[in-house]
Amino acid sequence: MLKYLFSKEDDIPQGTAAIFFGISSIAWFVIGTGLGSFNAAKLAFPDLFHGLYSLQFGHMRQVHVHAVIFGWIAMAFAASMMYITPALGNTKLWSEKLGVWNCLLYNVGLCLALALLWSGVTSGREYSDHIWPIDLYIAFVMVVPWSLNVWMTIVNRRTQGIYTTNWFFAGCMFMTIIVFLIGNTPEWLHLTGLNEAYMTWWFAHNILGLLITPVAAAITYYIVPKITGNPLYSHRVGHLHFWSIVVFYSTPAAHHLMSSPLPEWLKSFASVEGVLILVPAVAYVCNILLTMQGRWALFVENIEIKFTITGVLLAIPLNMQGGFQQTRAINWYIHGTGWIVAHAHLALLGFSTFAEAASVYYGMQVLLRRKLWSASLANFHFWMLLIGFSLYWTSMTISGLIQGAAKIYEVPYVDVVIAEHPYMIVRWLGGTMVFFGNIIWLYNMIMTARAGDPVPVGRQPAEIAYTR
Amino acid sequence: MAFREYRIGCWMFGFALSLSMFVTIILPGLDISSMSSTKIALEKQLTYGWETGFNYYDPFLQGKDKPVKVVLTKDPMTGKAIDKTDAFVFPAGTHFPSGLTHDGILGDDVQKASEELGKIGQADEAQGGVFLVRSTADDVPYIEFATATKGWTADATLKAADEKLLAGSGKTMFVREGCWWCHTLLPEQTQDWQSFGRPPLVGDFNGESPTTFGSDRKAPDLLHVGSRNSSREWMVMHFFNPRLVQPHSIMPRYDYLWGDVDADGNAVDLPGWDEKYLAYARGESIYPPAVPMPAADSEARKLIDFVINLK
């Protein structure tokens, strides 16, 4: 990597930035899920790591969250954008050199940001935990150069139209910068009170709704037609998806604070808009699943499609939960319980991660021009992720329902802790399976780069997946 | 952007996003900002000071730049007995909460009463001073700058105090140690009245930052915990090792907040304590080892003060 930092633009091979982002994202995935497993262990057995005072739960919890969001998910997005955007524009990435620098400074900034959170230096606001100097760094050193590369590649495209995936990439990067700058106004302007609380959740909701879910969806809009060879089922449904994301997904932030004393009109408005999230959700899921027509065998045969479609199928329960759990009829029961934790992992570890894993698997093979070193290990990774996630989701949903019932019947809290104990153990096991699966993935990817069979020019890695 | 449809699309995109931000930021912002402070909000501002998250005056969240809450039973100026009174002492240089330095945080009536009756206009951060929370005859809460109205100086008030609560610094510990990842400070409007007490009202938060509601309740809500349990001895044992008082607790031990020496000046020996505790757990001794009392300037004391002060 270092040798390309000071190379001339023309001397840097195409795809270099994407490869570096891809490898970084897998490494951060291993770190992030490892931390998750470590934290979960402490929730099951609080004295298990007693004495490791530097790794207290209250300090490590947000390090796990930000390692997976900024390390794994965002970097996998960067990797995907840096090879998919030029491919769809029939052109080169605007600047590989900027991309390589971006990747380096991204990793440096993330290490710094996590180290500060680890030591307890925090803004005290969930999801915007980073202190404002780090926020500035994230916005202008990590995200703006990345966005610039995406936008300029689209501007310099050699195709007439812009494909669905690229609308999402360009639009979402723009919205992310806006959300990041406005969502941190409590820190820029020292907002206080309910304004601070509301803006905290405005940020948390929109960073998820305008970056993580739509970009993950955009990636599947590329991967599924590319590997199946089917054209996207409907360009117009894609339009519906895009515009309803912008209009509906950017508005329900207050539904995260349904039990707080926010103005009632705001909570009602947010709740209605929250149900309307089902519009982009249903449009998207239908569009992708109908694109699979006639090629469903690939769901079994092809590792990228297996990951992608699993992610899309997980988006169905995700959006049904998301649309309805925030209505007053349901929210009073499950608010603040493990149900929400399960839902958050369904979004990030379920839908989003499966889509990105497919994109990173595919991108690394295409860019390295090497076939996956071991298809068996990739399948093993898939099942570890799916089973681990399912254990996690099921146990946390059940424990959330226990908490909800206990909340209503005013059960003494310690009885809830006792009742949740077995589910905390299962959660830990599930998270640990995901962690081990990811170690296997990292190993498989390193072996692919070193010893994978070369993919002949003009062939797709998926076509020769089973040839020896 | 050679296509006309993309130009239209960009305008539509900008319009949609602007409209969304207008409805979700400007309108709620105006509405929330128009809410008047309650008495609770005034007390919280005077207890927690300017900012509890990362800030220029306390970048490593050590609990600096915070006021001290004191309980008085005699007048610091004259020494005469008075009704039990909570006073908020800002030593010279401590930064004031937003409500004292910005208009529009307290609400119109509260602001007017605080200026006319409470003389808060005379307060100066560089000089410090003492504040009280009062109510007018019409039940409008207001802040009184007791240094101007009664001549109570910060030093004299600290000296005359029956009890000092470092609850402001304690909130810094609460934020830094991530207590709010498991303990909410938000009894829910729908459910929690019996277990966790009155849910907060819309004006209860003015001037507080961060609000640390918490979102994932893995442990009891703490907003009124000081009313349910105000035993400092229980708190000391619970923070040192929660399993001493609640065998099924999954809370981490916060024994490291005791620092190097305890209240008696003896060194705090955590590994030594653990050894004796394990012997107790194996049944080799009848009683668990005694928990050292935290020193007056220890982080444990500050955190306990914060929790006890949550009434």
Side-chain angles (χ1 to χ4, degrees), chain A residues 138-333:
Chain A
I138 291 173
F140 293 106
V141 181
M142 284 155 68
V143 181
V144 167
W146 161 13
S147 311
L148 207 60
N149 235 340
V150 173
W151 295 332
M152 291 310 290
T153 304
I154 294 176
V155 168
N156 292 334
R157 71 189 182 278
R158 294 192 294 178
T159 53
Q160 274 206 321
I162 302 175
Y163 178 65
T164 319
T165 297
N166 275 353
W167 316 329
F168 274 101
F169 284 172
C172 290
M173 292 317 290
F174 179 77
M175 291 191 284
T176 301
I177 293 172
I178 299 285
V179 166
F180 212 88
L181 296 180
I182 294 182
N184 279 302
T185 42
E187 279 161 71
W188 316 132
L189 306 177
H190 196 251
L191 296 187
T192 56
L194 273 183
N195 278 317
E196 182 264 349
Y198 174 61
M199 286 310 290
T200 299
W201 285 101
W202 187 90
F203 173 88
H205 176 84
N206 285 339
I207 206 72
L208 221 91
L210 303 179
L211 176 72
I212 294 176
T213 18
V215 173
I219 286 171
T220 62
Y221 275 137
Y222 175 75
I223 295 289
V224 173
K226 184 76 187 172
I227 292 179
T228 59
N230 287 348
L232 183 64
Y233 175 73
S234 167
H235 185 77
R236 281 194 184 174
V237 175
H239 267 288
L240 178 64
H241 177 199
F242 180 82
W243 288 107
S244 52
I245 287 272
V246 176
V247 176
F248 297 141
Y249 222 138
S250 64
T251 43
H255 72 202
H256 294 260
L257 290 168
M258 290 298 274
S259 61
S260 76
L262 282 182
E264 288 298 312
W265 70 264
L266 183 60
K267 288 195 262 183
S268 298
F269 170 77
S271 195
V272 173
E273 295 286 307
V275 177
L276 288 173
I277 287 179
L278 288 170
V279 174
V282 173
Y284 161 67
V285 170
C286 293
N287 214 355
I288 292 290
L289 294 185
L290 288 167
T291 305
M292 285 294 290
Q293 276 174 336
R295 303 303 306 273
W296 276 98
L298 288 172
F299 185 32
V300 180
E301 291 165 3
N302 177 277
I303 188 70
E304 291 88 6
I305 291 291
K306 194 183 281 182
F307 266 106
T308 308
I309 295 300
T310 307
V312 175
L313 293 174
L314 288 174
I316 299 171
L318 167 70
N319 290 306
M320 290 300 153
Q321 279 193 340
F324 293 114
Q325 72 186 20
Q326 46 83 36
T327 59
R328 287 170 202 247
I330 299 176
N331 192 263
W332 66 282
Y333 196 90

